[in-house]
Amino acid sequence: ETGVTQSPTHLIKTRGQQVTLRCSSQSGHNTVSWYQQALGQGPQFIFQYYREEENGRGNFPPRFSGLQFPNYSSELNVNALELDDSALYLCASSSSRGGRSYNEQFFGPGTRLTVL
Amino acid sequence: AQRVTQPEKLLSVFKGAPVELKCNYSYSGSPELFWYVQYSRQRLQLLLRHISRESIKGFTADLNKGETSFHLKKPFAQEEDSAMYYCALSGGGADGLTFGKGTHLIIQP
């Protein structure tokens, strides 16, 4: 059983650019959630994907978008990058029924994004 | 709005001493509460959740609905307990986890 993996590990972008982060969920999991963790803060929920559709969203603007693929892997896309987008982006997978996550979320190692 | 508060950014105790990491929450319904831990150079992982009522690595946490608290306790701290601890809340739906800012626990020898 493989755990949650994320790529790339680190990324440097400039303001205004677009970025795509990738996540492979743990075997057997059908739900993926994305979190943003700024320095010195706890992770903040961005959105959740279940059956290839976004079924839950935190307080993030529309320039944060995502995809989930048939194999349950996922992408996080951020357009028009701002300096405040610099953070660690965490992906978590879990198994859920009807998109409601009752089970433990397993986290990936994260992608460190720096916006200059 | 749901919120999780961890009042201590840093907690330093000596090996063998009792440990209590505080967590208070704000939620209108019946939340599910968790403690996640991140050891140095490792990923975030679940330590315990209130519905399982388990003791993991000697840690316990009791949900106090009256005080809206979910404090994490261990009677005798060990050096390997040094880590970042996050309290988190879930409404049970598709709204993800709401995390506190975390407490950095340092166990001194």
Side-chain angles (χ1 to χ4, degrees):
Chain A
E1 182 180 280
T2 56
V4 178
T5 60
Q6 293 186 243
S7 62
T9 308
H10 297 89
L11 203 51
I12 299 175
K13 292 285 188 178
T14 55
R15 200 169 52 179
Q17 284 188 311
Q18 179 264 344
V19 70
T20 298
L21 310 182
R22 293 177 176 83
C23 170
S24 290
S25 60
Q26 183 161 313
S27 174
H29 288 177
N30 58 9
T31 302
V32 173
S33 303
W34 285 91
Y35 294 82
Q36 180 195 67
Q37 186 174 18
L39 205 59
Q41 304 292 317
Q44 191 173 356
F45 176 65
I46 302 174
F47 46 54
Q48 176 176 294
Y49 275 80
Y50 171 73
R51 288 191 173 181
E52 303 177 48
E53 288 192 7
E54 181 186 302
N55 72 332
R57 191 176 184 94
N59 190 25
F60 279 81
R63 59 189 185 85
F64 285 79
S65 63
L67 285 172
Q68 187 183 30
F69 300 99
N71 66 354
Y72 306 122
S73 65
S74 177
E75 286 182 355
L76 163 65
N77 298 291
V78 188
N79 292 323
L81 284 167
E82 300 176 0
L83 298 179
D84 284 349
D85 295 334
S86 294
L88 181 69
Y89 287 85
L90 297 169
C91 168
S93 74
S94 61
S95 59
S96 64
R97 297 190 303 270
R100 298 177 66 86
S101 190
Y102 296 95
N103 297 317
E104 177 183 351
Q105 293 196 20
F106 289 81
F107 284 82
T111 293
R112 173 74 60 189
L113 173 65
T114 302
V115 182
L116 303 175
Chain B
Q2 56 199 54
R3 187 169 61 245
V4 175
T5 303
Q6 294 179 251
E8 304 131 333
K9 212 170 183 178
L10 174 67
L11 184 63
S12 180
V13 301
F14 286 101
K15 178 182 168 183
V19 173
E20 182 178 45
L21 287 80
K22 290 184 168 50
C23 172
N24 288 90
Y25 67 91
S26 172
Y27 187 75
S28 56
S30 294
E32 189 168 353
L33 273 296
F34 305 82
W35 276 98
Y36 276 81
V37 61
Q38 188 167 28
Y39 301 102
S40 180
R41 298 188 188 87
Q42 293 187 28
R43 62 185 67 188
L44 201 58
Q45 58 185 286
L46 180 67
L47 179 63
L48 55 79
R49 57 198 302 182
H50 87 270
I51 60 168
S52 63
R53 304 184 69 82
E54 290 178 303
S55 171
I56 306 294
K57 299 186 179 183
F59 284 98
T60 59
D62 290 319
L63 180 60
N64 185 324
K65 292 184 179 179
E67 295 183 359
T68 59
S69 68
F70 188 56
H71 303 326
L72 183 68
K73 300 177 184 179
K74 184 169 182 176
F76 307 103
Q78 298 173 299
E79 287 185 67
E80 54 264 34
D81 296 330
S82 293
M84 197 73 192
Y85 290 80
Y86 294 96
C87 182
L89 173 159
S90 170
D95 52 359
L97 293 167
T98 298
F99 284 87
K101 291 186 178 182
T103 297
H104 188 188
L105 177 64
I106 297 174
I107 307 300
Q108 299 191 50

